[in-house]
PDB file of all heavy atoms in Angstrom:
ATOM      1  N   ARG H  21     -23.067   0.169   0.632  1.00 85.00           N
ATOM      2  CA  ARG H  21     -24.291  -0.444   0.120  1.00 85.00           C
ATOM      3  C   ARG H  21     -24.639   0.099  -1.256  1.00 85.00           C
ATOM      4  O   ARG H  21     -25.079  -0.644  -2.157  1.00 85.00           O
ATOM      5  CB  ARG H  21     -25.443  -0.201   1.117  1.00 85.00           C
ATOM      6  CG  ARG H  21     -26.806  -0.701   0.632  1.00 85.00           C
ATOM      7  CD  ARG H  21     -27.875  -0.493   1.695  1.00 85.00           C
ATOM      8  NE  ARG H  21     -27.643  -1.367   2.829  1.00 85.00           N
ATOM      9  CZ  ARG H  21     -28.090  -2.630   2.892  1.00 85.00           C
ATOM     10  NH1 ARG H  21     -28.779  -3.132   1.862  1.00 85.00           N
ATOM     11  NH2 ARG H  21     -27.850  -3.360   3.942  1.00 85.00           N
ATOM     12  N   LEU H  22     -24.509   1.426  -1.446  1.00 84.00           N
ATOM     13  CA  LEU H  22     -24.780   2.039  -2.733  1.00 84.00           C
ATOM     14  C   LEU H  22     -23.922   1.408  -3.812  1.00 84.00           C
ATOM     15  O   LEU H  22     -24.413   1.038  -4.897  1.00 84.00           O
ATOM     16  CB  LEU H  22     -24.535   3.547  -2.664  1.00 84.00           C
ATOM     17  CG  LEU H  22     -24.582   4.307  -3.998  1.00 84.00           C
ATOM     18  CD1 LEU H  22     -26.001   4.288  -4.555  1.00 84.00           C
ATOM     19  CD2 LEU H  22     -24.086   5.718  -3.822  1.00 84.00           C
ATOM     20  N   CYS H  23     -22.626   1.292  -3.537  1.00 85.00           N
ATOM     21  CA  CYS H  23     -21.704   0.775  -4.559  1.00 85.00           C
ATOM     22  C   CYS H  23     -21.948  -0.706  -4.856  1.00 85.00           C
ATOM     23  O   CYS H  23     -21.964  -1.101  -6.038  1.00 85.00           O
ATOM     24  CB  CYS H  23     -20.259   0.968  -4.084  1.00 85.00           C
ATOM     25  SG  CYS H  23     -19.741   2.685  -4.033  1.00 85.00           S
ATOM     26  N   HIS H  24     -22.133  -1.507  -3.815  1.00 86.00           N
ATOM     27  CA  HIS H  24     -22.220  -2.949  -4.034  1.00 86.00           C
ATOM     28  C   HIS H  24     -23.635  -3.423  -4.337  1.00 86.00           C
ATOM     29  O   HIS H  24     -23.856  -4.182  -5.304  1.00 86.00           O
ATOM     30  CB  HIS H  24     -21.678  -3.695  -2.803  1.00 86.00           C
ATOM     31  CG  HIS H  24     -21.672  -5.176  -2.978  1.00 86.00           C
ATOM     32  ND1 HIS H  24     -20.932  -5.810  -3.934  1.00 86.00           N
ATOM     33  CD2 HIS H  24     -22.357  -6.163  -2.311  1.00 86.00           C
ATOM     34  CE1 HIS H  24     -21.125  -7.120  -3.871  1.00 86.00           C
ATOM     35  NE2 HIS H  24     -21.987  -7.362  -2.886  1.00 86.00           N
ATOM     36  N   VAL H  25     -24.611  -2.986  -3.528  1.00 86.00           N
ATOM     37  CA  VAL H  25     -25.987  -3.493  -3.682  1.00 86.00           C
ATOM     38  C   VAL H  25     -26.708  -2.756  -4.804  1.00 86.00           C
ATOM     39  O   VAL H  25     -27.303  -3.366  -5.689  1.00 86.00           O
ATOM     40  CB  VAL H  25     -26.759  -3.353  -2.354  1.00 86.00           C
ATOM     41  CG1 VAL H  25     -28.213  -3.830  -2.545  1.00 86.00           C
ATOM     42  CG2 VAL H  25     -26.081  -4.183  -1.248  1.00 86.00           C
ATOM     43  N   THR H  26     -26.668  -1.440  -4.780  1.00 85.00           N
ATOM     44  CA  THR H  26     -27.417  -0.654  -5.763  1.00 85.00           C
ATOM     45  C   THR H  26     -26.742  -0.657  -7.136  1.00 85.00           C
ATOM     46  O   THR H  26     -27.402  -0.918  -8.158  1.00 85.00           O
ATOM     47  CB  THR H  26     -27.574   0.801  -5.276  1.00 85.00           C
ATOM     48  OG1 THR H  26     -28.177   0.802  -3.980  1.00 85.00           O
ATOM     49  CG2 THR H  26     -28.453   1.595  -6.261  1.00 85.00           C
ATOM     50  N   LEU H  27     -25.449  -0.397  -7.157  1.00 84.00           N
ATOM     51  CA  LEU H  27     -24.737  -0.334  -8.430  1.00 84.00           C
ATOM     52  C   LEU H  27     -24.171  -1.688  -8.879  1.00 84.00           C
ATOM     53  O   LEU H  27     -23.770  -1.834 -10.022  1.00 84.00           O
ATOM     54  CB  LEU H  27     -23.606   0.706  -8.348  1.00 84.00           C
ATOM     55  CG  LEU H  27     -24.022   2.127  -8.029  1.00 84.00           C
ATOM     56  CD1 LEU H  27     -22.811   3.031  -7.943  1.00 84.00           C
ATOM     57  CD2 LEU H  27     -25.005   2.647  -9.086  1.00 84.00           C
ATOM     58  N   GLY H  28     -24.136  -2.638  -7.964  1.00 86.00           N
ATOM     59  CA  GLY H  28     -23.663  -3.968  -8.321  1.00 86.00           C
ATOM     60  C   GLY H  28     -22.171  -4.094  -8.547  1.00 86.00           C
ATOM     61  O   GLY H  28     -21.707  -4.976  -9.263  1.00 86.00           O
ATOM     62  N   LEU H  29     -21.386  -3.200  -7.932  1.00 87.00           N
ATOM     63  CA  LEU H  29     -19.943  -3.224  -8.130  1.00 87.00           C
ATOM     64  C   LEU H  29     -19.267  -4.213  -7.189  1.00 87.00           C
ATOM     65  O   LEU H  29     -19.593  -4.305  -6.010  1.00 87.00           O
ATOM     66  CB  LEU H  29     -19.359  -1.828  -7.894  1.00 87.00           C
ATOM     67  CG  LEU H  29     -19.841  -0.732  -8.837  1.00 87.00           C
ATOM     68  CD1 LEU H  29     -19.277   0.610  -8.407  1.00 87.00           C
ATOM     69  CD2 LEU H  29     -19.440  -1.057 -10.269  1.00 87.00           C
ATOM     70  N   SER H  30     -18.316  -4.961  -7.729  1.00 90.00           N
ATOM     71  CA  SER H  30     -17.529  -5.879  -6.909  1.00 90.00           C
ATOM     72  C   SER H  30     -16.309  -5.146  -6.362  1.00 90.00           C
ATOM     73  O   SER H  30     -15.931  -4.090  -6.896  1.00 90.00           O
ATOM     74  CB  SER H  30     -17.085  -7.072  -7.754  1.00 90.00           C
ATOM     75  OG  SER H  30     -16.113  -6.647  -8.719  1.00 90.00           O
ATOM     76  N   PRO H  31     -15.672  -5.686  -5.334  1.00 89.00           N
ATOM     77  CA  PRO H  31     -14.450  -5.044  -4.834  1.00 89.00           C
ATOM     78  C   PRO H  31     -13.397  -4.897  -5.928  1.00 89.00           C
ATOM     79  O   PRO H  31     -12.713  -3.854  -6.010  1.00 89.00           O
ATOM     80  CB  PRO H  31     -13.965  -5.999  -3.740  1.00 89.00           C
ATOM     81  CG  PRO H  31     -15.215  -6.658  -3.237  1.00 89.00           C
ATOM     82  CD  PRO H  31     -16.079  -6.816  -4.475  1.00 89.00           C
ATOM     83  N   ALA H  32     -13.229  -5.902  -6.778  1.00 92.00           N
ATOM     84  CA  ALA H  32     -12.221  -5.818  -7.843  1.00 92.00           C
ATOM     85  C   ALA H  32     -12.537  -4.700  -8.826  1.00 92.00           C
ATOM     86  O   ALA H  32     -11.617  -3.993  -9.287  1.00 92.00           O
ATOM     87  CB  ALA H  32     -12.134  -7.158  -8.587  1.00 92.00           C
ATOM     88  N   GLN H  33     -13.812  -4.521  -9.150  1.00 93.00           N
ATOM     89  CA  GLN H  33     -14.182  -3.432 -10.067  1.00 93.00           C
ATOM     90  C   GLN H  33     -13.872  -2.084  -9.475  1.00 93.00           C
ATOM     91  O   GLN H  33     -13.384  -1.172 -10.161  1.00 93.00           O
ATOM     92  CB  GLN H  33     -15.673  -3.540 -10.421  1.00 93.00           C
ATOM     93  CG  GLN H  33     -16.000  -4.717 -11.318  1.00 93.00           C
ATOM     94  CD  GLN H  33     -17.494  -4.909 -11.508  1.00 93.00           C
ATOM     95  OE1 GLN H  33     -18.278  -4.733 -10.563  1.00 93.00           O
ATOM     96  NE2 GLN H  33     -17.902  -5.275 -12.703  1.00 93.00           N
ATOM     97  N   VAL H  34     -14.120  -1.922  -8.177  1.00 93.00           N
ATOM     98  CA  VAL H  34     -13.796  -0.658  -7.526  1.00 93.00           C
ATOM     99  C   VAL H  34     -12.284  -0.451  -7.467  1.00 93.00           C
ATOM    100  O   VAL H  34     -11.783   0.651  -7.636  1.00 93.00           O
ATOM    101  CB  VAL H  34     -14.409  -0.604  -6.103  1.00 93.00           C
ATOM    102  CG1 VAL H  34     -14.036   0.693  -5.393  1.00 93.00           C
ATOM    103  CG2 VAL H  34     -15.922  -0.755  -6.164  1.00 93.00           C
ATOM    104  N   THR H  35     -11.542  -1.557  -7.253  1.00 93.00           N
ATOM    105  CA  THR H  35     -10.080  -1.464  -7.240  1.00 93.00           C
ATOM    106  C   THR H  35      -9.552  -0.937  -8.563  1.00 93.00           C
ATOM    107  O   THR H  35      -8.714  -0.051  -8.598  1.00 93.00           O
ATOM    108  CB  THR H  35      -9.473  -2.853  -6.962  1.00 93.00           C
ATOM    109  OG1 THR H  35      -9.866  -3.291  -5.660  1.00 93.00           O
ATOM    110  CG2 THR H  35      -7.953  -2.804  -7.031  1.00 93.00           C
TER     111      THR H  35
END
Side-chain angles (χ1 to χ4, degrees):
R21 176 177 291 275
L22 171 67
C23 291
H24 183 62
V25 178
T26 306
L27 300 179
L29 297 175
S30 69
Q33 288 172 322
V34 178
T35 297

